[in-house]
Amino acid sequence: MAGTRAPKQWSLSKVETITSFEAWRQNIQYTLSLDQNFAAFLADGYTWLKKTNVNPLHGIADDGEAVAEANRRTAAQKCIHLDLMLLGQIANYCPIISRNTIIKNFTSINSIWQSIRLHYGFQSTCGHFLDFNSIFWEQNERPEDLCQRLTSFIEDNMLRTGGNIHHHGEVTETDEELSPSLKT
């Protein structure tokens, strides 16, 4: 195989669906993951600090002796990768949130995704699940299209490790899966 390339990245519009947002997110995340300088920043659970005058390097430290010398980076080098490349690229294709907010205020890749979801009104919360009641069959819509919208909504509101939805206050240790009756 000569090489794997993602589709050309597109900008988010003023109106998105959960499906179109997820396609956008996965495409940009895949594209960014192709550069090894971004890998650590894209990992689940990786966080950094807000960029301020007091903390211009997001709290990022130099790589230590445990990292092979050829791969070792200074905090300043890693901060350049985070600010200009990773966060800057996301800001380029996310005009709905100010560039400065993305570069200075977010502290993880997941916080960026959650903020975008909140902007469009499909934040994963227990209260959001009540919106299921507002999904109706639209004129000229095929039954299969309605079924896919319902399934997408349910999948988006399932328990996920690191997600915002908890069961009786307990954080889940594994991602919830669709039961066979919901898959049909």
Side-chain angles (χ1 to χ4, degrees):
M1 182 184 280
T4 305
R5 297 180 61 103
K8 183 179 182 225
Q9 188 60 48
W10 61 95
S11 291
L12 288 170
S13 67
K14 290 181 180 183
V15 178
E16 298 288 344
T17 65
I18 185 64
T19 303
S20 66
F21 164 70
E22 282 299 317
W24 176 88
R25 183 192 64 77
Q26 289 173 10
N27 192 70
I28 200 165
Q29 194 158 348
Y30 172 75
T31 301
L32 292 169
S33 75
L34 296 176
D35 187 323
Q36 68 178 1
N37 294 309
F38 304 148
F41 302 120
L42 296 170
D44 275 343
Y46 188 92
T47 61
W48 53 86
L49 300 176
K50 290 182 179 184
K51 185 175 186 173
T52 63
N53 290 336
V54 174
N55 191 19
L57 299 178
H58 293 283
I60 297 172
D62 293 343
D63 287 337
E65 305 259 337
V67 176
E69 190 172 351
N71 297 330
R72 207 172 294 159
R73 301 285 182 266
T74 66
Q77 288 171 317
K78 293 191 286 185
C79 191
I80 287 170
H81 291 139
L82 176 62
D83 285 348
L84 297 177
M85 306 298 179
L86 183 106
L87 297 174
Q89 287 302 306
I90 292 171
N92 286 343
Y93 297 103
C94 184
I96 58 155
I97 297 176
S98 85
R99 179 176 201 80
N100 204 39
T101 298
I102 291 174
I103 293 173
K104 290 187 173 188
N105 294 336
F106 290 109
T107 58
S108 71
I109 196 73
N110 285 332
S111 66
I112 296 170
W113 306 148
Q114 289 302 322
S115 180
I116 296 169
R117 292 171 66 95
L118 180 63
H119 173 84
Y120 287 115
F122 36 77
Q123 180 78 351
S124 293
T125 65
C126 289
H128 173 64
F129 197 77
L130 295 175
D131 292 339
F132 186 77
N133 192 36
S134 66
I135 300 174
F136 295 99
W137 189 8
E138 296 174 2
Q139 188 176 7
N140 299 325
E141 182 178 43
R142 296 180 13 216
E144 293 82 9
D145 295 335
L146 173 61
C147 184
Q148 287 303 312
R149 287 193 301 123
L150 292 168
T151 301
S152 177
F153 185 91
I154 291 169
E155 289 173 340
D156 189 51
N157 285 280
M158 294 174 70
L159 294 172
R160 303 272 181 235
T161 56
N164 293 336
I165 301 174
H166 304 187
H167 182 64
H168 297 294
E170 295 180 21
V171 177
T172 186
E173 295 180 16
T174 58
D175 289 348
E176 183 179 20
E177 295 183 15
L178 281 176
S179 67
S181 61
L182 285 174
K183 287 181 182 181
T184 56

